[in-house]
Amino acid sequence: MHTDMSSASSLLSEDQFLCSICLDVFTHPVTIPCGHNFCKNCITEHWDIISYCQCPMCKDVFDRRPELRVNTFISEMADQFRRSAVKKSSSCSDQQWTNTGDVLCDVCTETKLKAVKSCLVCLTSYCETHLDLHQKMTVMTRHKLIDPVKNLEDRMCKNHDRPLELFCKNDQMCVCHSCAESGHKLHHIVPLIEEYEEKKADLGKTEAKIQQMIQERRLKIQQIKESVKLSKEDADRETADSVQVFTALIQSVERSLAQLIEMIEENQKRTEEQAEGFIKELEEEISELMKRSAEVEQLSNIEDHLQLLQSFSSLNPAPPTKDWTQVKVHALYGETVRKAVAQLEETFSEERNNRCDDVELKRVQQFAVDVTLDPETAYAAFILSDDGKQVKYDVKKNLPYNQKRFNYRCVLGKQSFSSGRFYYEVQVKRKTEWTLGVARESINRKGHMRWSPNNGVWAMDLSDEDGYIAHTVLLSLKSKPQKVGVFVDYEEGLVSFYDVDDETHIYSFTDCKFTEKLCPFFDPCKNDSGKNSAPLIICPVSHTD
């Protein structure tokens, strides 16, 4: 098993073993509920700083701090990777002097050995053996020795042939003692080591800032990847929902077309039956008229005056006939088609809206969160259930001062959101007045104000006087909602309300400018002598079929 893990670790990249907070290989790695991994100390310190539990990667917020246990599998994999990296590093360092162009001894004549020191007086680099000889020869003069460097002549002043041991802050250049006493006499001169330490400190700050920027960008990369993943899921879901909606609409068109064709065929059949009746009736009249014509012709052929007059009285009376001038047989199909198309458009529009609302509600329900009421914010006349899911109006109580508490009808949810999307549902059954929505966390809590986006509240409400209202918009609803869904898309600046039972969209605030945390917002309104005594109830979300 150990060998398998070793071979497996060789197939994995360094990024897979790096904590996104400290940017180093995991130490005591822990996995938090959303599935991301961090060093135990890193995530603990991170949560201590921000004072609430949120994943630095995907921004998921947890109601309470999760219990952190070391992920033994990831820990062992990280150790394997660390040992492998150390082994590779050691292997490379053994050959470093032959591969990286280290400074070589200037005195060695054949195979040059690696230099251990350079002399600023002799401008020569020495290996360990030749350094011993050099120190014995210069024991009285004590030449200036430094760690081995190349181009020793660049470390000497070209004007005075002395080591560059000082730094001129005015001219921002390295100088020797002779330079400091002549051309830089009135300048701010400091030892080279002092300027070195200052610059080193500046570089340390710069490096820390760069590392912070790297960390921020790595986190941003992970966030973008998470966003792409969520976008792909949304795209797949939207595609499936679109296919469902358009399939239903196509079926509706096909049904309407079949009904229209059937109606046209029935009209044509009635027209043909009517025409056959008219023709039969006309043929009968023609037959009677032909008989009378024969009789008239027979009398007309009598030349005897007396006989014609005597026979004329026996002539049968003319048969009854219909006035056929206004009789027509014609079906007005153009009008039929127009009516059918108009009906189809109405049905199409209604079904489209119903389907779209249904699909939209299913989509937003995917972002359901667990919301509980925060008793520290609750108005003194509110009663909250023990589980924090219900609130109703009661008698106002004398409570100790609390900076978080509202002194007007309001209570917020414990959960707050500064990014992403979230959704929750509230039962408003048997209530005659209520208000629901979201509010800025910094909303004024010590003075009554109008619920409006300008004051940091995006809400809809029901009142006996005005009916359903969203800010200043009077809403016309087909039915009275029993359960209302509230959806927020922080980045899109969207707050939407839904009738959960009817699966219909009620109203949306769009183009909102969110700049801080948002909290669920509730007002059960006054009791109204028992007419409005039912509580607002936060319900678990049951996804619609």
Side-chain angles (χ1 to χ4, degrees), residues 114-153:
K114 181 177 177 180
V116 294
K117 290 291 181 181
S118 295
C119 177
L120 291 178
V121 177
C122 303
L123 299 181
T124 303
S125 296
Y126 300 99
C127 65
E128 191 168 357
T129 302
H130 290 118
L131 179 64
D132 289 340
L133 295 173
H134 170 268
Q135 289 177 315
K136 289 177 182 178
M137 293 172 60
T138 60
V139 65
M140 299 301 294
T141 55
R142 298 189 181 280
H143 288 187
K144 178 72 172 180
L145 296 175
I146 61 172
D147 289 334
V149 293
K150 295 180 180 179
N151 304 322
L152 278 167
E153 59 275 9

Side-chain angles (χ1 to χ4, degrees), residues 375-393:
E376 292 191 358
T377 68
Y379 177 53
F382 286 176
I383 294 181
L384 275 59
S385 60
D386 292 339
D387 61 359
K389 297 294 184 180
Q390 301 185 28
V391 57
K392 64 180 180 179
Y393 192 94

Side-chain angles (χ1 to χ4, degrees), residues 157-193:
C157 177
K158 292 180 172 50
N159 296 325
H160 304 101
D161 200 28
R162 297 183 66 181
L164 298 172
E165 297 179 312
L166 303 174
F167 185 82
C168 175
K169 284 185 170 289
N170 297 68
D171 295 332
Q172 289 294 299
M173 61 183 295
C174 298
V175 297
C176 68
H177 282 281
S178 296
C179 293
E181 294 170 357
S182 56
H184 301 266
K185 189 171 184 179
L186 300 178
H187 292 181
H188 184 194
I189 306 297
V190 296
L192 203 64
I193 185 65

Side-chain angles (χ1 to χ4, degrees), residues 11 75 99 147 188 257 354 356 362 381 410 445 450 525 538:
L11 299 176
S75 178
N99 297 331
D147 289 334
H188 184 194
L257 177 59
N354 290 340
C356 288
K362 289 179 182 178
C410 180
R445 307 186 183 202
R450 185 178 180 84
C525 297
I538 302 171

Side-chain angles (χ1 to χ4, degrees), residues 242-464:
S242 299
V243 169
Q244 180 184 351
V245 170
F246 277 85
T247 299
L249 294 177
I250 290 170
Q251 291 173 349
S252 178
V253 172
E254 290 174 344
R255 284 195 303 270
S256 297
L257 177 59
Q259 292 170 0
L260 176 59
I261 292 173
E262 183 181 356
M263 183 177 65
I264 292 173
E265 290 175 347
E266 288 178 355
N267 284 345
Q268 178 61 20
K269 184 178 179 181
R270 284 195 298 270
T271 300
E272 291 175 356
E273 291 174 350
Q274 185 184 39
E276 289 175 359
F278 288 157
I279 291 171
K280 184 178 179 181
E281 192 174 348
L282 284 167
E283 287 176 344
E284 290 176 351
E285 286 191 3
I286 290 172
S287 177
E288 291 297 324
L289 290 170
M290 287 180 69
K291 289 179 182 180
R292 181 169 176 75
S293 176
E295 292 176 356
V296 171
E297 184 180 358
Q298 185 179 358
L299 286 175
S300 297
N301 290 332
I302 298 176
E303 294 182 358
D304 185 325
H305 299 167
L306 179 62
Q307 184 181 1
L308 175 63
L309 294 173
Q310 289 176 341
S311 299
F312 188 83
S313 61
S314 64
L315 181 66
N316 292 326
T321 58
K322 183 188 292 186
D323 182 6
W324 293 93
T325 57
Q326 301 300 322
V327 175
K328 295 180 181 179
V329 177
H330 182 62
L332 299 175
Y333 293 113
E335 187 65 27
T336 302
V337 172
R338 277 194 293 273
K339 289 181 180 179
V341 170
Q343 181 63 39
L344 175 61
E345 288 177 349
E346 183 179 344
T347 303
F348 188 90
S349 177
E350 184 177 348
E351 187 160 349
R352 178 195 61 195
N353 291 335
N354 290 340
R355 289 281 179 176
C356 288
D357 283 349
D358 182 27
V359 168
E360 184 180 348
L361 182 59
K362 289 179 182 178
R363 181 180 65 82
V364 300
Q365 284 179 329
Q366 303 297 318
F367 302 99
V369 295
D370 184 20
V371 173
T372 51
L373 301 169
D374 184 358
E376 292 191 358
T377 68
Y379 177 53
F382 286 176
I383 294 181
L384 275 59
S385 60
D386 292 339
D387 61 359
K389 297 294 184 180
Q390 301 185 28
V391 57
K392 64 180 180 179
Y393 192 94
D394 196 67
V395 179
K396 189 173 181 180
K397 302 170 286 295
N398 290 323
L399 299 175
Y401 177 82
N402 183 339
Q403 187 175 359
K404 294 182 179 181
R405 188 182 308 284
F406 287 86
N407 66 357
Y408 55 93
R409 296 197 321 264
C410 180
V411 59
L412 299 181
K414 285 184 179 180
Q415 296 72 21
S416 61
F417 306 89
S418 58
S419 64
R421 291 167 280 192
F422 63 94
Y423 172 86
Y424 66 95
E425 294 178 353
V426 181
Q427 179 180 298
V428 295
K429 190 175 182 180
R430 298 192 305 276
K431 292 195 67 62
T432 58
E433 292 188 69
W434 50 263
T435 303
L436 293 175
V438 292
R440 287 197 297 254
E441 192 176 48
S442 64
I443 182 176
N444 179 17
R445 307 186 183 202
K446 301 304 178 184
H448 183 70
M449 62 181 182
R450 185 178 180 84
W451 307 142
S452 72
N454 291 336
N455 292 327
V457 178
W458 293 265
M460 73 166 286
D461 58 73
L462 167 65
S463 68
D464 280 339

